[in-house]
Amino acid sequence: MRTIVCAMAVLGVCVHLAAQTDGADPLHIGSVTVSGTIHERYEDWNFFPSKGESDYGYSGSLLRLMFSQQEQHYDWTFELAAPILLGLPNHAVQAAPQGQLGLGGSYYAANSSKQNSASIFAKQAYLRLKGEHSNVRFGRFEFTDGGEVTPKDETLAIVKRDGISQRLIGTFGFSDVQRSFDGAQYNYSNGSWNLTAFSAVPDRGVFQVDGWGWVKTPVTYLALTKQAAFGASHAEWRVFGIYYNDDRPVVKTDNRTAAARSHDFGGIDIGTYGGHYIQAIPTAIGTFDLLGWGALQNGTWGLLTQRSGAGAVEVGYQPAIVKAVRPWLRGGYFYSTGDGNPNDNVHGTFFAILPTPRVYARFPFFNEMNNRDLFGELMLRPHKNLTLRSDIHGLWLANSHDLWYSGGGAFQPWTFGFNGRPSNGATGLGTLYDISADYQVVRPLSLGLYFGYVRGGAVVAHIFPGNPNAKLSFIEANYHF
């Protein structure tokens, strides 16, 4: 009932706004463009049953106002953001191993245990200098790995958006605060080639509404991307390297004992090296697509040596004979290493760095660390403005001696950014069933619905005994002006 009531309020306000401004052009003050977004989401959580508050709902809003100017040799952007969180649960943070019971608990813990929080801060503030084939920008801006080039082919663009971009560096766009970076980015493009270099420090945000300060975990990224064509088939490949550093004096999340971790404040210095290949293959019976992604890591994890890796393979098919709903069938498998021995000198857990977890965990109770994910997906597009999608994910831990991880990386100076719960010697995490609908009502307004159900496995049952199942539903509206 609470979801329906809040949904009606969201729909009523946004449809009224859209009716007033449908088709309106952006506002201009001289040569300066004024634009923005209003995002509202109401989430209804029924996390795995616990002694705390696992059944709750709350509202998250994000207002963004942008000023920008485009000139031949430069452009600049200044954007303010105002996140507003209302009705956060005040008993959704429990002692380990249960921890934070869904994202409501994460927001509550990150904002000084307040049920209502709001702030305003500079989301972006940068200057970009432009040449014939290159550009460089300085300041505060958003960045996603794998998102520096958007393929012209529609199939490739969607495959890349949903299966490549933001795996390791992202804006955490699902959160009601999100993430920006302070630093510099260089792009060089010539024909089908692109070279991107990026080095920055992430800003506070994600769950904490105060997004002004830094989190001293600098990250540097270098990637070479190439578009290719083989007749009617289009493809893209990329190779990349990432360096990440974290010297903050905070306790790391890993599978060592609490005593061992509490005495290890050595820095994290990790190199990640990888690449991807995607291809769309049109045929007489429909379009097939392929995806491959992989990464290896080395370096130091405090007193330990880092040795880890991850990889994903996916295939898809869009039948040509069912044009009314434009179905798209996809499936794939993801694997990331876990640590098999908490007592040796090697940290074998793949480190996800600063990702947007929700892209790859639509019900974000897990992430891409110590994870095996076998999935199938059906997408239907009965109208150009409507997309329906349903996924089934079989989830296991890669190593039973490691933890069940969640989270999306550092977002405030005094917390590590990833959470871990013990596996208790099991690997079965659960089966996730979900369905979503996204509808572009008019040009400025889009609506989204989501429902996910998790049937917990042995790992979950050890921590949340009884009925280890969970549900998440939300309705959201995005209004652009």
Side-chain angles (χ1 to χ4, degrees):
M1 179 62 68
R2 63 192 178 206
T3 304
I4 296 174
V5 171
C6 290
M8 295 301 293
V10 170
L11 291 174
V13 172
C14 291
V15 170
H16 177 69
L17 288 171
Q20 294 180 3
T21 61
D22 182 21
D25 292 325
L27 174 65
H28 292 277
I29 303 176
S31 60
V32 176
T33 300
V34 182
S35 60
T37 61
I38 302 172
H39 170 76
E40 166 64 27
R41 182 192 302 120
Y42 186 85
E43 300 180 27
D44 190 272
W45 286 78
N46 189 334
F47 204 70
F48 303 106
S50 69
K51 296 179 181 179
E53 188 178 2
S54 59
D55 188 2
Y56 58 83
Y58 64 89
S59 167
S61 305
L62 180 61
L63 315 179
R64 300 175 64 164
L65 179 63
M66 179 187 294
F67 302 87
S68 61
Q69 184 181 33
Q70 297 280 341
E71 299 292 345
Q72 181 179 359
H73 298 296
Y74 72 91
D75 63 63
W76 61 264
T77 293
F78 179 74
E79 181 180 28
L80 292 170
I84 304 169
L85 302 171
L86 301 175
L88 297 175
N90 58 357
H91 296 291
V93 180
Q94 297 296 301
Q98 293 189 348
Q100 297 172 1
L101 308 177
L103 297 190
S106 300
Y107 286 116
Y108 183 78
N111 292 285
S112 304
S113 300
K114 295 178 181 178
Q115 288 191 273
N116 304 303
S117 294
S119 182
I120 184 169
F121 61 90
K123 186 73 174 67
Q124 298 192 92
Y126 66 83
L127 170 68
R128 176 162 36 206
L129 305 178
K130 299 183 288 188
E132 182 179 359
H133 295 290
S134 63
N135 65 78
V136 59
R137 62 176 173 173
F138 308 91
R140 175 170 294 192
F141 50 86
E142 296 183 320
F143 179 82
T144 62
D145 85 283
E148 55 268 37
V149 177
T150 300
K152 295 181 180 180
D153 183 277
E154 180 186 9
T155 294
L156 278 191
I158 295 174
V159 168
K160 189 173 184 182
R161 180 197 67 192
D162 295 345
I164 296 295
S165 180
Q166 306 190 66
R167 279 193 181 270
L168 299 176
I169 304 173
T171 61
F172 215 123
F174 181 72
S175 82
D176 295 309
V177 188
Q178 304 185 14
R179 173 190 287 135
S180 296
F181 297 88
D182 282 7
Q185 178 183 348
Y186 172 79
N187 292 294
Y188 175 83
S189 295
N190 192 348
S192 60
W193 292 89
N194 174 269
L195 175 69
T196 295
F198 160 83
S199 188
V201 176
D203 300 316
R204 302 185 191 188
V206 180
F207 300 119
Q208 175 183 303
V209 295
D210 177 6
W212 279 106
W214 287 353
V215 184
K216 294 182 180 179
T217 57
V219 60
T220 298
Y221 169 88
L222 180 66
L224 180 65
T225 305
K226 175 72 165 63
Q227 307 289 316
F230 307 99
S233 176
H234 295 90
E236 178 190 279
W237 60 260
R238 172 186 60 136
V239 292
F240 65 84
I242 302 173
Y243 170 71
Y244 176 85
N245 167 259
D246 184 354
D247 288 329
R248 296 174 301 153
V250 297
V251 176
K252 302 170 183 60
T253 300
D254 57 50
N255 62 338
R256 291 176 292 176
T257 65
R261 291 184 293 113
S262 66
H263 289 90
D264 182 4
F265 290 105
I268 295 174
D269 292 279
I270 293 178
T272 304
Y273 321 95
H276 80 253
Y277 180 82
I278 53 177
Q279 185 172 0
I281 309 167
T283 70
I285 61 172
T287 300
F288 294 86
D289 62 83
L290 306 172
L291 177 152
W293 176 91
L296 297 174
Q297 294 180 327
N298 67 358
T300 59
W301 180 272
L303 298 175
L304 308 180
T305 299
Q306 180 77 24
R307 294 288 185 272
S308 53
V313 291
E314 299 179 11
V315 296
Y317 172 53
Q318 301 173 66
I321 59 174
V322 192
K323 296 183 178 179
V325 295
R326 298 177 62 205
W328 192 344
L329 297 165
R330 304 201 77 248
Y333 181 71
F334 172 83
Y335 176 86
S336 63
T337 59
D339 189 85
N341 185 353
N343 301 312
D344 63 9
N345 63 351
V346 174
H347 181 248
T349 307
F350 182 76
F351 183 60
I353 310 180
L354 296 165
T356 299
R358 209 263 166 176
V359 176
Y360 304 98
R362 300 220 300 166
F363 190 145
F365 70 97
F366 64 100
N367 64 13
E368 294 194 300
M369 296 167 62
N370 188 36
N371 177 246
R372 290 182 288 153
D373 181 353
L374 178 66
F375 80 93
E377 173 190 317
L378 172 62
M379 185 185 299
L380 301 176
R381 295 159 291 173
H383 188 272
K384 65 178 182 179
N385 292 343
L386 176 63
T387 300
L388 306 173
R389 174 178 165 182
S390 182
D391 290 20
I392 300 177
H393 291 257
L395 300 164
W396 300 266
L397 303 186
N399 197 301
S400 63
H401 298 286
D402 205 351
L403 305 180
W404 159 22
Y405 292 95
S406 60
F411 65 91
Q412 57 186 187
W414 48 86
T415 57
F416 186 65
F418 291 104
N419 304 310
R421 297 181 174 94
S423 66
N424 293 295
T427 59
L429 188 55
T431 305
L432 168 60
Y433 309 87
D434 73 7
I435 187 168
S436 64
D438 294 286
Y439 181 54
Q440 191 77 34
V441 181
V442 287
R443 191 178 74 174
L445 174 66
S446 62
L447 302 175
L449 292 168
Y450 176 84
F451 175 77
Y453 173 78
V454 181
R455 185 175 180 180
V459 175
V460 175
H462 280 297
I463 301 173
F464 301 96
N467 181 23
N469 302 320
K471 297 187 288 290
L472 167 63
S473 59
F474 66 75
I475 181 169
E476 64 181 358
N478 291 282
Y479 178 75
H480 300 262
F481 62 90

